[in-house]
């Protein structure tokens, strides 16, 4: 059974950075996406990292603030988000692709990491 | 970027009703369209991908169809456990854009 376990909740001040982790088990090394959901809002795609950890691709809204990396030896994926602002308060999910094909829909979701940005 | 426009934003229907949600892509995406269900307080789950392929384990009352850049999610007979927000998503290329969501409630 595929399982994605994410890091715990964070509280950050505006301007700070946060690092998310996502550890996978029970599946082959598929693509990993990051998606966020602000309170009461819809789903927003942030980016994708491929099985090798090379060539991450980011949504335009996050260019320059987000960095995604992958440690294949520990089956872990990381996302750094910098220069936080109050609008970044959200639940952040890591999600696998459904298959090894890049253009797959989303398969399994992590439990989410809540980030609260407040002064 | 291609925009995904969902309608309606919310609906209320009776148990047993046929419910239809639409999603329009601003440009062609072939059949690379997925539908997700997010129940209150839960993580989203995949219902349908490639416009009309039912994900394993999803009840057969859910179906998807396509006409050019217009996509439809149909619930043939609404059940109480279908109360959720439904999202469409393009999965043909970056960005993997979602629609705004449709909240489905029981009348």
């Amino acid at each position: 059974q595929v399982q994605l376990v994410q890091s715990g909740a964070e509280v950050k001040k505006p301007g700070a950075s946060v690092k998310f982790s996502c550890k996978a088990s029970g599946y082959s090394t598929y693509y990993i996406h990051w998606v966020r959901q602000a309170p009461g809002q819809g789903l927003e795609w942030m980016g994708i990292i491929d099985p090798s950890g090379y060539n991450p691709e980011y949504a335009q809204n996050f260019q320059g603030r987000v960095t995604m990396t992958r440690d294949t030896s520990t089956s872990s994926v990381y996302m750094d988000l910098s220069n936080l602002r109050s609008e970044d308060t959200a639940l952040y999910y890591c999600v696998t692709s459904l298959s090894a094909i890049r253009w797959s829909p989303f398969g399994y979701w992590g439990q989410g990491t809540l980030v609260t940005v407040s002064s | 970027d291609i925009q995904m426009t969902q309608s309606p934003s919310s609906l209320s229907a009776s148990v047993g009703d046929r419910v239809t949600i639409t999603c329009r892509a601003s440009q062609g995406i072939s059949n690379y369209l997925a539908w997700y269900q997010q129940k209150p307080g839960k993580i989203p789950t995949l219902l349908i991908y490639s416009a009309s392929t039912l994900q394993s384990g999803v009840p057969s009352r859910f179906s998807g169809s396509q006409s050019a850049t217009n996509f439809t999610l149909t619930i043939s007979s609404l059940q109480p456990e279908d109360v959720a927000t439904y999202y469409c998503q393009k999965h043909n290329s970056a960005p993997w854009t979602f629609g705004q969501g449709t909240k489905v409630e029981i009348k």
Side-chain angles (χ1 to χ4, degrees):
Chain A
Q1 177 68 356
V2 175
Q3 193 172 15
L4 298 175
V5 178
Q6 297 187 231
S7 45
E10 304 259 15
V11 179
K12 295 290 184 180
K13 293 192 182 303
S17 297
V18 63
K19 183 163 187 164
F20 303 86
S21 69
C22 172
K23 185 171 175 60
S25 62
Y27 83 114
S28 300
T29 52
Y30 293 163
Y31 296 85
I32 294 285
H33 299 260
W34 290 89
V35 174
R36 77 177 185 180
Q37 186 169 36
Q41 301 301 309
L43 302 167
E44 183 177 21
W45 180 77
M46 299 181 70
I48 180 176
I49 189 163
D50 67 20
S52 67
Y54 296 115
N55 303 316
E57 192 169 6
Y58 308 130
Q60 194 167 7
N61 284 350
F62 301 98
Q63 292 278 356
R65 286 208 300 143
V66 69
T67 303
M68 295 177 187
T69 56
R70 189 164 194 159
D71 183 344
T72 55
S73 67
T74 61
S75 300
S76 294
V77 176
Y78 302 93
M79 180 175 71
D80 287 280
L81 186 63
S82 63
N83 193 21
L84 291 168
R85 34 225 193 210
S86 59
E87 310 89 89
D88 293 318
T89 293
L91 195 53
Y92 290 77
Y93 295 103
C94 61
V95 194
T96 70
S97 56
L98 185 63
S99 75
I101 300 171
R102 185 179 184 87
W103 312 122
S104 297
F106 292 178
Y108 299 94
W109 297 63
Q111 84 277 18
T113 295
L114 179 64
V115 169
T116 303
V117 182
S118 173
S119 55
Chain B
D1 290 348
I2 297 172
Q3 305 303 313
M4 306 302 294
T5 304
Q6 253 183 268
S7 62
S9 57
S10 66
L11 66 89
S12 181
S14 300
V15 172
D17 281 355
R18 183 180 185 88
V19 169
T20 298
I21 299 169
T22 62
C23 179
R24 185 179 76 250
S26 61
Q27 298 175 41
I29 58 170
S30 186
N31 66 336
Y32 290 92
L33 191 285
W35 291 96
Y36 300 86
Q37 177 192 62
Q38 186 175 31
K39 295 185 178 181
K42 303 296 185 183
I43 62 174
T45 59
L46 178 65
L47 294 175
I48 287 167
Y49 61 96
S50 298
S52 60
T53 302
L54 202 65
Q55 170 66 344
S56 176
V58 174
S60 59
R61 63 181 179 274
F62 291 93
S63 64
S65 63
Q66 175 187 7
S67 176
T69 58
N70 297 297
F71 300 86
T72 301
L73 172 69
T74 300
I75 308 173
S76 61
S77 176
L78 187 67
Q79 300 301 305
E81 59 266 32
D82 300 334
V83 168
T85 300
Y86 295 83
Y87 296 93
C88 64
Q89 180 206 37
K90 57 179 281 294
H91 61 91
N92 65 316
S93 64
W96 274 256
T97 306
F98 291 92
Q100 309 94 311
T102 296
K103 187 173 184 179
V104 174
E105 298 175 321
I106 300 290
K107 193 181 294 181

